[in-house]
Amino acid sequence: MDERRDAAVRLFHVSKSYDAGSFALRDVSLEFARGEFVFLTGPSGAGKTTLLKLLFAAEQPSEGQIVVLGRNIARLGESAIPPLRRRIGVVFQDFKLLQSRTVEENVAMALAVVGTPRREARAKVFSILKQLGLQHRRYHHPLSLSGGEQQRVAIARALVNEPEILLADEPTGNLDPDLTVDIMDLIASTAIRGTTVVVATHELGIVGRYGKRTIRLDQGRITEDKKAVGVASGM
Amino acid sequence: MKRIGVRLAYFVRTAWRGLRASPVTSAVAVMTIGISLVLVGAFALLLQNMESLLDKLGGELHVTAYLEDGLTQGQQQEIAHLIGTVEGVESVSLITKEEAFERFRRGVGRGSALLEGLADNPLPASIEIALVASRRSASGMAMVVASLDGLDGIDDLASGQDWVEGYMRAVALLRGLGVGLGAILALATLLIVANTIRLAVFARRDELEILSLVGASHSFMQTPFLLEGILQGALGGGVALLLLFALFRVVLPGFEFGLELVLGGVSPRFFALGESLALVATGAGLGLFGSAAAVTGGWRT
């Protein structure tokens, strides 16, 4: 199969600037295959979060083209953004969970958006929580959970609709080292099931542990694109 | 179809949750709508009853032609026949001087002894003229009176035209006041509902951010707020209906004399089912427009 045609994400000379002359991303071109696991690394302000925001259409590129799951982000109308986002799961460092809702309700939000009947939604939520070892916590509120558990709830919400792409922005930034490994193992396992996974992190220890493709950003530019261990280099 | 049902259920649940999440703000909005609709509803109720009086009077409206003295019975009957042919006249009834006096005597009752001292019968003969249904109004009556004016043998024409016209002017004035008051109150209500919903949107900004991230469309996020506005409005309409009914049943009977003055012999009537539902629907409509003003525009994906 043609690898280029099968790409989940393609960026062509993408730049993003918020102020004139100040670039968060500059002339970035890259491609993520379907099912690929990619780390985005670099210091704070390198452009990792900006790149992720461009991928789920929270931002528009200032220059260049971005094609995500066959849709050109730069030309996407407002009404086309929600359907695209339903195919993308997003996980944040601060979890973004509603404290007033139970774990089950938090995860079910993603299913409500796609019109899943309530009974079916409960079954799906139970299934994903079970996979993440949280089924016994489904009626608890997030504040009664540990940081690791909260992040697993956020991952459950991101995965419950079986997205084609999973984006994670510093998903272990608020977690202890032990929990960090647990959460990263969980995220890595989704790539095995065919989901394209892009993780932005500045924790190089984690990056080294998985031996996956690693793109280093610095001041908005790609400074290194290291292929996964055992994969031939070259774009 | 099933998906629409699922979404509708979600919207209703979310709207209800929104109402319960800010009970004080919601209650203030509901009471504001309720009080506004009580005022507008009271006007509507008064107008409805005044119009009932006009309808009732319409059936009883007639013109009386007083005849000159000295006419023979034959001449009187001839005039009556002539009047009967005028357009808009349904029937005529001749009242002789004697019959008029007898009626008057019966009307005076126990004081009729005073009439014994009268040397002559001072009352004129008259013709009572009933109008066809289409002329039972102030303007219809005026047309018939104009046709009869100047007819030989008729001394004077009397009708309730002036009174009916005055009453109709009062009804029109009240209706205008009601519409003006209603417009001002509707605007105030819209602003209050809009602000309540804006507060609700602000309070739920985290939820909206998450919904947007998981692919909710604008309409998906806005619909529960619109429903919340409709619910507030409908509840306000319900409150108004209950208050009006309580006022109608408890307070109104205490103003019997005033009612008699305004409504004559018409018994006050409360709103029928359709009108009651219209009041609640008006509240719901105000809630919908208020919440629509709050949630349309300015949403970012």
Side-chain angles (χ1 to χ4, degrees):
Chain A
M1 190 180 281
D2 183 342
E3 193 181 286
R4 291 186 72 86
R5 201 180 63 199
D6 202 31
V9 174
R10 275 184 278 171
L11 283 81
F12 302 98
H13 305 289
V14 170
S15 295
K16 176 68 185 177
S17 64
Y18 295 100
D19 303 310
S22 165
F23 284 89
L25 280 179
R26 190 186 288 245
D27 195 27
V28 171
S29 292
L30 48 80
E31 187 172 305
F32 303 146
R34 287 183 188 265
E36 190 174 14
F37 188 122
V38 183
F39 280 114
L40 294 177
T41 67
S44 295
K48 305 186 295 290
T49 299
T50 300
L51 180 51
L52 291 185
K53 282 183 173 176
L54 288 170
L55 296 184
F56 67 91
E59 303 275 3
Q60 288 284 315
S62 306
E63 290 170 32
Q65 306 292 324
I66 303 174
V67 179
V68 177
L69 300 172
R71 307 303 305 267
N72 189 336
I73 298 282
R75 292 182 190 167
L76 216 54
E78 277 278 304
S79 61
I81 293 174
L84 177 69
R85 285 193 184 159
R86 288 172 212 155
R87 300 167 68 190
I88 301 171
V90 190
V91 176
F92 295 92
Q93 181 177 353
D94 61 356
F95 320 135
K96 292 199 188 300
L97 298 175
L98 289 180
Q99 304 303 335
S100 60
R101 308 280 179 91
T102 64
V103 165
E104 183 180 76
E105 288 167 340
N106 267 284
V107 178
M109 284 174 79
L111 293 165
V113 167
V114 295
T116 308
R118 217 173 171 193
R119 187 177 294 182
E120 189 183 328
R122 291 192 75 174
K124 280 192 171 181
V125 171
F126 183 82
S127 171
I128 191 81
L129 288 177
K130 194 173 178 189
Q131 286 175 43
L132 302 182
L134 279 175
Q135 75 276 16
H136 60 292
R137 296 288 228 171
R138 64 188 184 279
Y139 300 129
H140 288 71
H141 285 81
L143 276 180
S144 67
L145 307 182
S146 69
E149 285 175 322
Q150 289 190 55
Q151 191 58 292
R152 276 191 280 163
V153 175
I155 291 170
R157 185 182 62 204
L159 295 179
V160 72
N161 273 331
E162 298 173 9
E164 292 161 71
I165 297 174
L166 177 66
L167 306 175
D169 190 6
E170 302 282 1
T172 57
N174 282 344
L175 304 180
D176 297 337
D178 287 350
L179 290 171
T180 294
V181 173
D182 282 352
I183 293 297
M184 281 312 303
D185 283 351
L186 199 59
I187 290 173
S189 70
T190 63
I192 296 166
R193 283 176 276 172
T195 301
T196 303
V197 180
V198 182
V199 178
T201 180
H202 64 272
E203 295 177 67
L204 294 177
I206 298 172
V207 176
R209 177 185 168 92
Y210 291 91
K212 298 291 184 183
R213 181 181 171 191
T214 305
I215 296 168
R216 183 173 167 77
L217 290 166
D218 197 2
Q219 295 184 336
R221 290 181 186 277
I222 295 178
T223 56
E224 186 183 13
D225 186 350
K226 201 165 103 184
K227 295 297 164 195
V229 174
V231 176
S233 196
M235 276 181 65
Chain B
M1 202 64 192
K2 188 179 178 187
R3 186 162 288 196
I4 292 172
V6 169
R7 291 205 167 174
L8 197 62
Y10 170 84
F11 293 147
V12 171
R13 275 201 310 274
T14 308
W16 184 244
R17 192 186 344 231
L19 272 184
R20 287 191 311 164
S22 48
V24 176
T25 322
S26 299
V28 168
V30 166
M31 289 314 294
T32 307
I33 296 169
I35 290 166
S36 300
L37 288 177
V38 161
L39 293 173
V40 174
F43 261 91
L45 210 49
L46 182 62
L47 283 171
Q48 173 187 283
N49 281 289
M50 288 177 82
E51 281 166 356
S52 297
L53 175 64
L54 278 180
D55 287 346
K56 186 184 172 228
L57 285 176
E60 296 170 357
L61 284 178
H62 65 269
V63 177
T64 305
Y66 293 102
L67 302 178
E68 290 171 355
D69 272 343
L71 297 174
T72 64
Q73 198 166 358
Q75 286 171 319
Q76 288 173 352
Q77 279 171 350
E78 198 178 319
I79 293 170
H81 177 72
L82 189 64
I83 290 173
T85 62
V86 170
E87 190 190 346
V89 173
E90 189 177 65
S91 63
V92 291
S93 172
L94 178 64
I95 311 293
T96 62
K97 278 175 75 74
E98 291 71 29
E99 283 169 338
F101 189 78
E102 182 56 28
R103 273 192 191 181
F104 184 68
R105 203 171 59 77
R106 277 204 304 271
V108 172
R110 279 187 293 177
S112 63
L114 293 170
L115 300 172
E116 303 295 333
L118 284 173
D120 293 318
N121 176 2
L123 298 178
S126 62
I127 298 170
E128 282 182 1
I129 306 161
L131 308 177
V132 296
S134 60
R135 291 287 164 87
R136 286 176 199 155
S137 64
S139 57
M141 218 153 41
M143 287 170 77
V144 173
V145 168
S147 304
L148 301 177
D149 198 25
L151 204 66
D152 282 347
I154 293 181
D155 186 37
D156 194 15
L157 288 163
S159 69
Q161 184 189 338
D162 291 344
W163 186 88
V164 171
E165 280 179 347
Y167 197 81
M168 283 175 79
R169 273 200 298 276
V171 170
L173 181 70
L174 272 177
R175 186 180 290 124
L177 278 174
V179 168
L181 181 75
I184 292 168
L185 290 174
L187 190 67
T189 306
L190 286 177
L191 287 174
I192 285 171
V193 173
N195 277 332
T196 309
I197 298 296
R198 272 195 204 104
L199 284 174
V201 171
F202 182 75
R204 275 147 58 187
R205 60 195 182 284
D206 291 345
E207 178 184 344
L208 295 174
E209 183 193 359
I210 294 166
L211 282 171
S212 176
L213 283 174
V214 296
S217 62
H218 287 183
S219 61
F220 186 90
M221 292 186 278
Q222 289 167 346
T223 303
F225 292 108
L226 296 179
L227 272 179
E228 202 173 317
I230 291 173
L231 273 174
Q232 284 178 358
L235 285 172
V239 165
L241 199 61
L242 287 174
L243 283 175
L244 277 172
F245 189 70
L247 288 171
F248 186 81
R249 275 296 174 89
V250 180
V251 180
L252 215 55
F255 294 92
E256 200 176 338
F257 177 72
L259 278 177
E260 178 76 22
L261 201 66
V262 177
L263 298 179
V266 173
S267 311
R269 183 178 72 84
F270 193 68
F271 292 132
L273 178 65
E275 291 152 351
S276 302
L277 290 176
L279 189 72
V280 176
T282 303
L286 285 173
L288 172 64
F289 284 114
S291 53
V295 301
T296 47
W299 285 60
R300 288 183 59 231
T301 304

